[in-house]
Structures are given as C-alpha cells and as structure tokens.
C-alpha cells in the first residue's frame, strides 16, 4: 500500500498489471490503472507508482509515464515524453519531475509537467544518479548516488550552485531545511552533515552511532532531524541553525576586507 501525503487516498498493486486506488475518506474504490511496463523504472527501486503530491499519482504503463489526479478521479491530460525511462524525483507540488532518458545517462532532465516542457538539464555526477531531491520551493535540487561530492543545482538553469565536499563515500540521502537556509546529507561513511546553502560551507557533522541514513527529514521549525536507517531511527535535536547561520555570517564579515 502507498498512501497520499494528506492521508486521503491509498493505492495497492493488484497482480502484475494494475493498480487499485481507494478514497479513504469515503471508503470507496476509485479507479484501476494499467501499470504494465516495458523496462521503465522508478529510480533504483522496482516499483510502478508513487504519490508525487497529495493529488498526483505518477505511474508507469506500456504507454509510458502518466499521472492520475486522485482529486478529480482522472488522468492528467498533460504529457510526459515517451523516451523517459526512469523517474528520479519530483518537487513537493508534483510540478517538476526529474527524469532520465537513458538508464546509463549522465544527465537528468527537469520536466515541467504543467507547462509540458523541459526547463533544465542537470549534469556533473561521475557515478550516476540514485535519486533527486528538490528544495521546498523547487528552485534547487541535489542528487544522491555514489559520488562523494554533492552537487546543488539551480533547477531553472541547470547550473551547479554549490559543490559539497567532505563525505568519504557516496551521498545516499539528502534533505533541505524548510527555510532553505541549510541542507543535510548522509553517507555510508557514517556521517551526517549539515551545509550552509548560501555559501555551500559545512556547518555541522553528526556521527550517530556510526550509521548512515536511508532518509532524512527536518521538522517544520528546522530544530530536529529525523534519521531513518536500515534498522534504526534517530531523532536529533539540531543546535539552533539560526544561531549557526548568524555566527557564520559574522565570521565571514570579520575575514572579508
């Protein structure tokens, strides 16, 4: 089962070729979708569907990728190019999609679903893309994968805004703070690092029992960090990021002539 972010809809796989969508509020069956595929995949996970917003369910079929709108009980009319073979991530509102045209591609295409157009190409990773994480306002993105460095792109231009260096192994999870002042990354090297987004400078490093994380989540006030690992879950209280930001600003002011 997969549940929408607002908890109002749920989807389950029915056999090998269809999805069943249910309205949890009214307690009724809503629709069935054909999800047979021809090699299309979601990131490195062999799944056929994912809620990319509270209203939009992205799914794959023999006709390519499509989006079902659970609010209006219909397929979205906008198209997703048939040559996209892999989905890597989406903005919180489901408008921007990070897609690959080739499983071995060194590029990620940022596709604006609402406007049906390609808006940027993300490139620069040496070892492929596991997933793409967008900032809350979708203006920035970072990819996870086997690269030790993290690239933060401008999603409008495709330009690398910052290169985050410090991990000794690849970055397997990332999360933007809700205020977009910082970004957190995790690696199998056992470290979880928080970076200053305006400068790209490392602010803090955590080593929670020497484990990395599969998923990272900031609290709304950015003062807590949920770390979800393979067999452990941690909740860390992050020392005032606002204060760290202020101290970092003062440091730069002191050394800048």
């Amino acid at each position: 089962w997969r549940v929408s972010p607002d908890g109002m809809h749920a989807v389950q796989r029915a056999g090998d070729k269809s999805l069943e969508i249910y309205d949890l509020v009214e307690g009724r069956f809503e629709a069935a979708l054909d999800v047979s595929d021809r090699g299309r995949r979601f990131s490195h996970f062999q799944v056929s569907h994912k809620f990319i917003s509270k209203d939009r369910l992205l799914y794959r079929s023999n006709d390519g990728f499509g989006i079902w709108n659970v609010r209006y009980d219909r397929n979205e009319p906008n198209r997703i190019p048939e040559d996209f073979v892999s989905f890597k991530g989406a903005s919180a509102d489901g408008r921007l999609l990070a897609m690959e045209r080739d499983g071995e591609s060194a590029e990620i295409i940022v596709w604006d679903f609402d406007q049906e157009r390609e808006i940027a190409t993300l490139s620069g990773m040496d070892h492929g893309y596991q997933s793409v994480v967008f900032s809350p306002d979708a203006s920035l993105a970072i990819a996870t994968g086997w690269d030790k460095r993290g690239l933060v792109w401008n999603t409008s231009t495709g330009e690398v805004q910052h290169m985050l260096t410090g991990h000794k192994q690849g970055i397997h999870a990332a999360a933007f703070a809700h205020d977009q002042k910082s970004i957190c990354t995790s690696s199998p090297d056992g470290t979880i690092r928080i970076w200053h987004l305006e400068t790209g400078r490392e602010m803090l490093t955590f080593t929670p029992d020497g484990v990395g994380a599969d998923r990272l989540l900031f609290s709304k006030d950015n003062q807590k960090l949920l770390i979800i690992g393979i067999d452990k879950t941690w909740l860390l209280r992050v020392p005032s990021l606002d204060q760290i930001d202020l101290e970092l600003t003062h440091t730069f002011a002191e050394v800048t002539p």
Side-chain angles (χ1 to χ4, degrees), residues 9 21 28 30-33 55-59 66-78 113-114:
H9 293 85
I21 303 172
R28 64 178 177 85
E30 183 173 289
L33 300 175
D55 294 329
R56 289 177 167 178
L57 175 72
L58 181 70
Y59 67 96
I67 290 182
W68 178 267
N69 190 305
V70 295
R71 180 180 180 183
Y72 296 110
D73 295 355
R74 63 174 174 82
N75 271 307
E76 295 273 12
N78 296 14
F113 179 74
D114 290 351

Side-chain angles (χ1 to χ4, degrees), residues 42-174:
F42 278 53
S43 189
H44 63 305
F45 302 105
Q46 296 301 316
V47 298
S48 60
H49 56 286
K50 179 181 177 65
F51 277 103
I52 57 174
S53 73
K54 63 183 180 64
D55 294 329
R56 289 177 167 178
L57 175 72
L58 181 70
Y59 67 96
R60 67 183 184 200
S61 70
N62 283 337
D63 297 322
F65 287 98
I67 290 182
W68 178 267
N69 190 305
V70 295
R71 180 180 180 183
Y72 296 110
D73 295 355
R74 63 174 174 82
N75 271 307
E76 295 273 12
N78 296 14
R79 71 181 183 90
I80 299 175
E82 290 187 7
D83 59 346
F84 287 152
V85 300
S86 182
F87 165 77
K88 297 296 183 179
S91 58
D93 59 3
R95 179 176 64 88
L96 300 185
L97 307 178
M99 310 293 290
E100 273 186 326
R101 284 199 169 97
D102 183 338
E104 302 301 323
S105 174
E107 297 179 341
I108 292 290
I109 305 301
V110 180
W111 180 259
D112 189 318
F113 179 74
D114 290 351
Q115 298 185 16
E116 296 184 277
R117 67 184 182 93
E118 179 180 325
I119 64 171
T121 299
L122 313 182
S123 61
M125 298 275 283
D126 295 328
H127 303 292
Y129 303 82
Q130 179 175 322
S131 66
V132 173
V133 179
F134 287 86
S135 62
D137 68 358
S139 64
L140 301 172
I142 185 172
T144 65
W146 290 105
D147 279 36
K148 299 177 184 178
R149 60 202 175 102
L151 301 182
V152 179
W153 291 279
N154 182 310
T155 57
S156 296
T157 64
E159 294 180 354
V160 175
Q161 185 159 315
H162 294 297
M163 184 181 298
L164 312 179
T165 58
H167 285 298
K168 294 180 174 59
Q169 296 183 43
I171 295 175
H172 283 190

Side-chain angles (χ1 to χ4, degrees), residues 40-41 59 128 142 148 165 172 180 184-185 199 236 256:
R40 292 178 174 83
R41 58 195 176 92
Y59 67 96
I142 185 172
K148 299 177 184 178
T165 58
H172 283 190
Q180 296 197 174
C184 182
T185 57
T199 62
L236 295 182
T256 301

